[in-house]
Amino acid sequence: MSQTASELKHWLAPYRVGLCFSVLAGSLATLMLLLQCWWLAWCCGQLLAGEELSLKDASWFILSWLARAGLLALKDLQAMRVSQQARQHLQQQLFSQLELAGPRRALVGNDGEISTLVLEQVDALDPYLSRYWPQLWLVVLTPLLIAIAAACYSPFAAFLLLLTAPLIPLFMILLGKKAAEESQRQIQALGLLGGRFLEFLRGFAQIKLLAAEDQVIRQLDHASAEYRRRSMKVLQKAFLSGAVLELLSALAIAFVALYLGLGLLGELPWAKQQVPVAYPSALFILLLAPEFYAPLRQLGSDYHAKAQAVAAWQSLQPLLQLPVQQGGTQTAPPEIQTLRFATPAFYSAPQRPARLAPLRLEIAPGQRVALMGHSGSGKSSVLELLLAYEPVLSQHIQLGAQNLATLELNSWRQQLLYLPQQSQWRAGSLRQNLFGEHYSALQLQHALAQSQSLEFVQQLPQGLDFELGEAGLGLSGGQLQRLAYARALLKPARYWLLDEPFSMLSKPQQRQLQQQLNTLSQGCTLLLATHQLDGLDWLDRVCYFVAGELRWQGTVAQARQQHWYRKLELEPEYAQA
């Protein structure tokens, strides 16, 4: 926890100058408070002595009160402005990290958990930035200025203030540790709840088809009840510590008031019949006593903001520290090059089985290759390697004479056409999901026709303006797969990476699109992950993977004679009815 707090302080370093202006405004507000209390005590003393007050005397009090209110508002506004700036920069850093991580973001969590991190946990840093950090300095400066002012009239009263002050931070730390632990558990519960809710939204069509709505609602109710329970435990700790701090400060103020009251009555045991502190001075000190402990009480309340911020920062670390490929400065060659893989074993996470065994593979320019194997055999991982998101493995892939890790990533990825098994769809019109604003109507129509999507798109109520739901809700899996293929065809590319692009289509549709793929991919390097070779006789080579290891290479005709291919064709998951 201490290491996380140190990292949080290090991240805050560039914004400390702006926060120091907030501290300065708070310190000036304390000086105005001293002036305000002094004028009030002096006026009361004058009235007690039977003197009359002029308008000028009252105006000084009003001016000091207005000045203090303005400085406090300036303090809060400056701290909020710096907090907003810091959180915006952090969110931009996280979005950039997600962009560089690509598919590796799954190591951090599902999309629901990641969205909770980027939105909820970054906002959880706001109280730490806008309240706790400035208060950490004001809790020293404000009591010190008040103690100095009190010592000018009564050193013993100032001594009492300073003697009781450390009790509040002591109890604040003891109670704050428990609040920090509960806050961390609450963040974990929120991430799990967000991830579960998003997965239910994505599978809404299947849930409705299986009539499992009641079961899903019960699971969500249970998860939300658990989150509420954790939230109440955090609030319980916060209210308990707040009550303890209020009690301690009230007792401390009572000690000072008792000393000043007995002194005015001349009943102090060591100063009988003496008045060590005059009435105006005693009133001045008594007015300052609550303000002496106010920053300490406020820090006690804001300490929970620190505990929450430390827990939020700790939850952000897996994403911030995720190794990503930054790329080099060399521009990717415009001509198609030979691809050479000489990669070591590839693990999706520590202490887990390898997704790919050491791979030795060479693909000539313009060669079209099928990657085959059972589910989880490593086909998709080979395609993902060429996306250059794996910082360790990219340096073991050669593009002609150049190393993939030395290439400028945008120039390289512009040459790739990548179609994963699960394409991403967002709520919005079909045109927006196809990035139609970047293409002409003729280009869109041509791509839809090539993917056999034009007919059903024209039959939709609003055509290309048809509104899709989250994760493509509103269209079938086969329709979404054809639209994903159309979206991919809109992009000119030299290297095609297709992962089961037609698996949800009927056999006749598959054959038509595969024959068309033969025409469209000529002159390009094609890597096609698939489980069957019907209609793919035009491929140049077949590579068969088992448990991440390349076990066999040969032509399509040779592959059809292999025992593993006949077994693969008979699997119920891939056999056509």
Side-chain angles (χ1 to χ4, degrees):
M1 186 67 73
S2 59
Q3 183 179 357
T4 304
S6 300
E7 294 173 353
L8 187 58
K9 290 180 181 178
H10 179 73
W11 167 74
L12 188 60
Y15 309 101
R16 287 179 180 173
V17 174
L19 291 175
C20 285
F21 282 104
S22 176
V23 174
L24 177 61
S27 301
L28 293 175
T30 301
L31 295 178
M32 292 299 103
L33 171 68
L34 295 176
L35 183 61
Q36 177 186 339
C37 292
W38 188 88
W39 277 107
L40 182 60
W42 184 83
C43 290
C44 290
Q46 292 294 100
L47 292 174
L48 189 64
E51 301 288 339
E52 294 185 359
L53 296 177
S54 65
L55 183 61
K56 180 181 178 181
D57 296 328
S59 64
W60 281 109
F61 172 78
I62 295 173
L63 286 175
S64 61
W65 179 80
L66 291 175
R68 183 187 178 220
L71 287 168
L72 289 175
L74 179 62
K75 173 184 80 74
D76 292 338
L77 289 174
Q78 174 66 11
M80 290 170 59
R81 186 188 68 82
V82 174
S83 172
Q84 183 179 15
Q85 181 184 14
R87 288 182 289 117
Q88 284 179 347
H89 290 170
L90 180 59
Q91 281 187 331
Q92 291 171 0
Q93 181 183 353
L94 291 171
F95 284 132
S96 176
Q97 189 80 347
L98 285 172
E99 182 181 1
L100 292 173
R104 288 177 58 83
R105 69 179 185 272
L107 298 176
V108 178
N110 58 41
D111 290 344
E113 292 173 316
I114 291 175
S115 62
T116 301
L117 288 177
V118 176
L119 299 176
E120 301 287 343
Q121 302 312 322
V122 172
D123 286 343
L125 298 174
D126 176 56
Y128 174 80
L129 292 165
S130 60
R131 298 204 310 264
Y132 177 78
W133 197 92
Q135 195 64 32
L136 199 61
W137 288 92
L138 291 174
V139 78
V140 176
L141 295 175
T142 299
L144 184 61
L145 291 173
I146 291 177
I148 292 173
C152 295
Y153 299 97
S154 174
F156 187 75
F159 171 75
L160 285 178
L161 292 174
L162 295 174
L163 181 65
T164 54
L167 295 177
I168 295 178
L170 177 63
F171 281 89
M172 172 189 70
I173 293 173
L174 293 177
L175 295 171
K177 288 183 177 180
K178 293 295 183 182
E181 294 173 1
E182 294 296 337
S183 182
Q184 180 64 32
R185 296 191 187 99
Q186 184 196 29
I187 288 174
Q188 294 173 355
L190 179 60
L192 291 174
L193 180 60
R196 180 176 296 180
F197 185 67
L198 181 61
E199 292 303 322
F200 284 150
L201 285 178
R202 286 177 170 172
F204 179 77
Q206 290 81 0
I207 292 170
K208 195 170 183 180
L209 183 64
L210 296 172
E213 296 95 329
D214 293 339
Q215 182 179 356
V216 169
I217 291 174
R218 284 196 299 270
Q219 290 186 20
L220 285 176
D221 284 343
H222 176 74
S224 58
E226 178 66 16
Y227 178 69
R228 286 195 298 269
R229 187 185 66 81
R230 293 183 185 276
S231 298
M232 292 307 297
K233 291 190 72 172
V234 174
L235 291 175
Q236 180 185 13
K237 295 292 190 300
F239 288 140
L240 175 62
S241 60
V244 171
L245 297 180
E246 289 293 336
L247 176 62
L248 289 174
S249 60
L251 290 175
I253 294 171
F255 276 121
V256 176
L258 181 63
Y259 163 71
L260 294 174
L262 291 176
L264 289 173
L265 295 173
E267 295 296 332
L268 288 174
W270 60 88
K272 286 287 186 178
Q273 305 301 320
Q274 298 180 15
V275 180
V277 184
Y279 173 77
S281 301
L283 180 59
F284 173 64
I285 296 173
L286 195 59
L287 289 172
L288 289 178
E291 300 296 336
F292 178 88
Y293 296 104
L296 295 169
R297 295 200 309 272
Q298 185 62 45
L299 183 65
S301 300
D302 292 340
Y303 189 80
H304 302 292
K306 179 199 174 184
Q308 184 181 14
V310 170
W313 185 257
Q314 191 172 8
S315 68
L316 291 171
Q317 290 311 296
L319 181 54
L320 289 171
Q321 297 177 1
L322 184 65
V324 294
Q325 175 65 277
Q326 299 291 341
T329 58
Q330 299 180 22
T331 303
E335 302 83 11
I336 299 178
Q337 302 290 322
T338 300
L339 289 172
R340 295 185 182 87
F341 295 82
T343 59
F346 168 37
Y347 298 86
S348 58
Q351 309 301 325
R352 292 193 180 180
R355 284 176 59 184
L356 276 179
L359 177 62
R360 300 294 181 270
L361 178 63
E362 181 172 320
I363 300 173
Q367 195 171 45
R368 297 179 294 182
V369 180
L371 308 178
M372 302 195 69
H374 299 270
S375 295
S377 60
K379 305 183 301 296
S380 300
S381 298
V382 174
L383 300 181
E384 291 176 4
L385 288 182
L386 290 175
L387 299 178
Y389 286 111
E390 295 293 338
V392 177
L393 300 181
S394 295
Q395 57 187 325
H396 298 283
I397 301 175
Q398 292 291 125
L399 182 66
Q402 292 180 287
N403 191 291
L404 194 60
T406 64
L407 299 181
E408 201 279 317
L409 294 181
N410 285 333
S411 68
W412 164 241
R413 289 172 184 158
Q414 286 299 317
Q415 301 188 26
L416 298 178
L417 186 158
Y418 176 59
L419 187 58
Q421 292 185 30
Q422 298 292 333
S423 296
Q424 299 294 320
W425 303 96
R426 59 188 176 92
S429 71
L430 192 54
R431 189 187 305 275
Q432 291 172 333
N433 277 277
L434 294 174
F435 308 111
E437 63 273 13
H438 302 300
Y439 304 100
S440 66
L442 184 60
Q443 287 175 309
L444 286 172
Q445 186 175 4
H446 186 57
L448 291 172
Q450 288 178 325
S451 65
Q452 299 183 4
S453 305
L454 184 59
E455 182 178 353
F456 82 78
V457 169
Q458 290 175 338
Q459 294 174 355
L460 292 174
Q462 294 87 26
L464 283 172
D465 294 321
F466 175 76
E467 289 290 325
L468 282 179
E470 182 70 29
L473 188 64
L475 295 177
S476 68
Q479 289 173 326
L480 290 174
Q481 196 167 55
R482 280 180 282 169
L483 287 172
Y485 184 49
R487 183 169 59 184
L489 291 176
L490 286 167
K491 178 184 177 183
R494 298 181 178 87
Y495 303 88
W496 291 34
L497 314 175
L498 307 182
D499 194 352
E500 292 287 346
F502 314 127
S503 59
M504 297 184 183
L505 305 180
S506 65
K507 204 72 171 179
Q509 288 177 321
Q510 287 187 16
R511 288 198 180 95
Q512 291 178 17
L513 289 174
Q514 286 165 352
Q515 291 304 318
Q516 192 182 59
L517 180 61
N518 176 24
T519 304
L520 296 175
S521 64
Q522 287 182 3
C524 301
T525 296
L526 170 67
L527 273 71
L528 175 64
T530 182
H531 286 90
Q532 53 84 28
L533 295 173
D534 290 344
L536 297 174
D537 298 281
W538 47 268
L539 290 173
D540 300 311
R541 187 162 32 133
V542 175
C543 296
Y544 175 61
F545 288 83
V546 177
E549 181 182 354
L550 178 59
R551 292 284 183 87
W552 184 91
Q553 296 186 64
T555 65
V556 173
Q558 291 170 342
R560 292 183 190 278
Q561 304 302 319
Q562 299 298 313
H563 173 71
W564 57 262
Y565 179 70
R566 293 192 294 271
K567 184 178 179 182
L568 189 64
E569 276 191 315
L570 294 175
E571 287 193 0
E573 186 178 354
Y574 312 112
Q576 296 294 325

